[in-house]
Each structure stands twice: as structure tokens, then as C-alpha cells.
Amino acid sequence: MAVTVKVISKTERTLSEQAYIPEAMKGMKLSMSRFFKNTFAAPEKKEIATVRYPEEKRVYPERFRGIHRLTQRADGSPRCVACLCCSTACPAQCIYIEPEEYAEGDARHGYERFPVVFVIDELRCIFCGYCVEACPCDAIRMDTGIHMPPSTERSHFIYDKETLLSIPGADGTYECENPRHEPGDASHPGVDRLKGH
Ligand code: SF4
Ligand code: SF4
């Protein structure tokens, strides 16, 4: 089989290019023009791709996965029912939960549990969002719109239950739109553990 060879001619360099000095001067001219423009020109005329963080912050897209928060019920308690779905789904194994039963007399006793300990190691987290997808209660979200604040202290990246509950969503709210059917409410389906559910 005949092979077709495409010959590409090499561009010859001009005398000016071979001398290097004119080309170096062109580069210097471009660098200096950008330096003076970005140092002294009016802000709207500057050509700077970077921002002066933290005074300036970029606007993140709506679906940006920020640091986690635990959503609250109307009474301020966590929506989380300590089912462990999120910690099971987490590929980085950075969620630790200790479940607890609600006290005798609480309408939720026997129906739901709550997390007495809920910790996320945000330094191990890979921000995949699987925990949010796995949660059946819309109890954990990554809609805070903020990334992890920098720190040199490792403990600052370990977020406990109280911290996670104290972070609002990007809309400033601590709850979520999905309705909850609390045990004892008329809208609750009425499953009863004593009757075998
Ligand atoms: S975002 Fe991913 S890695 Fe981070 S806690 Fe959730 S499941 Fe784990
Ligand atoms: S945050 Fe959601 S998935 Fe995780 S334990 Fe609580 S209810 Fe279950």
C-alpha cells in the first residue's frame, strides 16, 4: 500500500528574529505595557485575571458544591434521622455519626433517631456530593456557596454537628423547602413500630 507523505516546509527565520534582540524588545514592550496598564489604569480598563481574595470574591455558579450544612426542622433540631446513608455512600469515609434514640415521651421516640455526634472531616472530603444524593431526608446539603476557609490548623477543618447546623444556605435560610411529616402531625403516615413497622 502506498504511503502518502505530507511534506511541511519549515519557516525560515528572518535576520531580525535570528538576532533575538528585536524579539526580546518586543516581549519587554508587551510586558511593560501590561504592567503599567494594570498598575495605574482605571479598574475597568485593567486586564487582570486574578482577584484580590479575600477582599474580592468570585461569584460561584448556582450548582457549586460548597462546604456542607445540616438543615434544620422548624424547631431548630436537625432534620437528620441518623440513618447513616450519607456516611455509607461517602467514598472518602470522612463522615462520622453516632445515632441516638429520642427520649421517652418525645413524639419521635420509636420512629426516628437523631445524630448525637455528626462530624465531617472537610479536609478528607473530595466534594463529590454523594452524601447529599444519598440522604433521604434532605438533611445534608452543599448549597452554602462558600468554600473551605484557609487555615493552617487541622482541627479547623473538622466540622461538628453544631457547626454544620449553624451554616446557612446561600439563600440565608437554615431550613429547606421539602416538607417534613413529623411524628404526631396529622400529615404523618402513622407507621407504628409497636405494630410491626
Ligand atoms: S461530598 Fe463526597 S467525600 Fe465529601 S462528605 Fe460527601 S460523600 Fe463524602
Ligand atoms: S444526613 Fe441524611 S443520610 Fe446522613 S445520616 Fe442524616 S438523614 Fe441519613
Side-chain angles (χ1 to χ4, degrees):
M1 187 177 75
V3 177
T4 310
V5 178
K6 185 178 180 185
V7 179
I8 300 173
S9 56
K10 191 177 171 188
T11 312
E12 293 297 326
R13 282 188 291 183
T14 63
L15 188 63
S16 161
E17 287 168 342
Q18 289 184 63
Y20 288 109
I21 293 175
E23 295 302 309
M25 296 301 289
K26 271 195 223 171
M28 287 292 288
K29 183 182 167 193
L30 182 64
S31 299
M32 295 312 288
S33 70
R34 289 284 161 81
F35 169 75
F36 285 110
K37 187 175 185 182
N38 291 332
T39 306
F40 301 110
E44 65 276 7
K45 292 193 176 170
K46 291 183 178 180
E47 294 178 17
I48 300 177
T50 54
V51 295
R52 295 180 184 177
Y53 183 84
E55 289 81 13
E56 293 174 29
K57 286 177 184 160
R58 290 200 189 283
V59 178
Y60 290 130
E62 197 179 330
R63 296 179 65 189
F64 168 74
R65 291 190 198 121
I67 54 174
H68 303 77
R69 69 176 176 121
L70 285 178
T71 55
Q72 301 182 9
R73 302 181 195 214
D75 65 359
S77 62
R79 281 178 72 105
C80 174
V81 296
C83 66
L84 310 188
C85 284
C86 56
S87 56
T88 304
C90 176
Q93 299 183 346
C94 59
I95 304 178
Y96 176 74
I97 302 167
E98 283 182 18
E100 182 70 75
E101 288 284 352
Y102 282 100
E104 289 276 358
D106 190 306
R108 294 167 288 192
H109 177 78
Y111 291 99
E112 298 176 359
R113 299 183 299 175
F114 71 97
V116 68
V117 176
F118 195 116
V119 178
I120 300 181
D121 183 344
E122 299 282 353
L123 216 49
R124 287 181 66 175
C125 173
I126 57 171
F127 291 84
C128 63
Y130 284 6
C131 51
V132 178
E133 297 296 325
C135 181
C137 304
D138 201 3
I140 185 168
R141 285 190 168 201
M142 300 176 80
D143 62 352
T144 50
I146 48 176
H147 60 72
M148 180 58 56
S151 173
T152 54
E153 187 67 43
R154 199 183 192 296
S155 62
H156 293 170
F157 297 94
I158 311 295
Y159 280 27
D160 61 12
K161 184 178 79 172
E162 287 68 32
T163 304
L164 292 164
L165 281 167
S166 70
I167 303 171
D171 61 1
T173 64
Y174 294 88
E175 300 175 15
C176 59
E177 315 82 48
N178 284 328
R180 263 202 62 84
H181 303 285
E182 301 288 353
D185 288 354
S187 61
H188 193 265
V191 288
D192 189 341
R193 274 193 187 170
L194 296 177
K195 293 177 184 164
H197 292 284

